[in-house]
Amino acid sequence: MLAPMEQREVVKRVIGILTEAREMQRLLEADLEREDMDAGAGAVTALLNETMPHIAIPDDFSVEDVVTVVGREVGGAVEQLVSAFTLAFTMLAQVHDSGQTDVSSADVLQDLALRVEGGGPDEDEDEDPLL
C-alpha cells in the first residue's frame, strides 16, 4: 500500500495542474485548431492514482460494508485534494476580488508554491492550516 502523500506535496501538485491548465488555455487562445489540449488529464490522473488508497475488499463483504470501507479509506484522500484546490482557489479569488491588476494568476500560484516550500515572503506568519 502506498503511503499517504504529504499535504504540501498535494498542494504543489495542484499548483502544477492549475499552472498547466492556464498554459493550455493560453495556447488554445493562440491557436483554436490545436489537437494536443488533453495533455493535462494525465497530471490529474497521476495525482488521483497517487493520492487514492488501494482498497482490498473481501469477497464476503456486503454492499454496506463496502460503502463503509470505501468511505473511510477514500474520504481522507478526497479531503486532502479538496483542501489543496480550495487553498489555491481562495488565494486566486482574494487577489481577483481585491482588484489587484498588477498581479497575475501565475504570480499568485508562484507565491503559493514558495509558501509551500517554506521560502515565501510570509514564512514568519502562522502556518496555513491547509498546508
Side-chain angles (χ1 to χ4, degrees), residues 65-129:
D65 293 335
V66 171
V67 168
T68 300
V69 169
V70 170
R72 182 180 67 235
E73 297 296 322
V74 173
V78 170
E79 183 177 323
Q80 197 175 32
L81 290 169
V82 169
S83 292
F85 276 102
T86 300
L87 176 62
F89 171 82
T90 300
M91 289 189 72
L92 289 163
Q94 285 175 342
V95 170
H96 175 271
D97 293 349
S98 72
Q100 295 180 39
T101 58
D102 60 331
V103 179
S104 70
S105 59
D107 294 336
V108 174
L109 292 174
Q110 182 178 28
D111 179 63
L112 178 56
L114 290 171
R115 290 178 191 212
V116 170
E117 285 297 320
D122 299 323
E123 62 186 20
D124 293 333
E125 293 183 9
D126 292 335
E127 189 169 326
D128 192 315

Side-chain angles (χ1 to χ4, degrees), residues 2 16 18-21 24 26 28 33 35 43 57 66-67 70-71 77 87-88 111 113 120 122:
L2 295 174
L18 294 174
T19 301
E20 185 176 344
M24 288 191 314
R26 188 188 67 73
L28 185 59
E33 301 299 320
E35 296 181 13
I57 305 291
V66 171
V67 168
V70 170
L87 176 62
D111 179 63
D122 299 323

Side-chain angles (χ1 to χ4, degrees), residues 37-52:
M37 295 282 70
D38 63 342
V44 173
T45 300
L47 179 59
L48 288 172
N49 286 337
E50 291 176 29
T51 56
M52 291 298 151

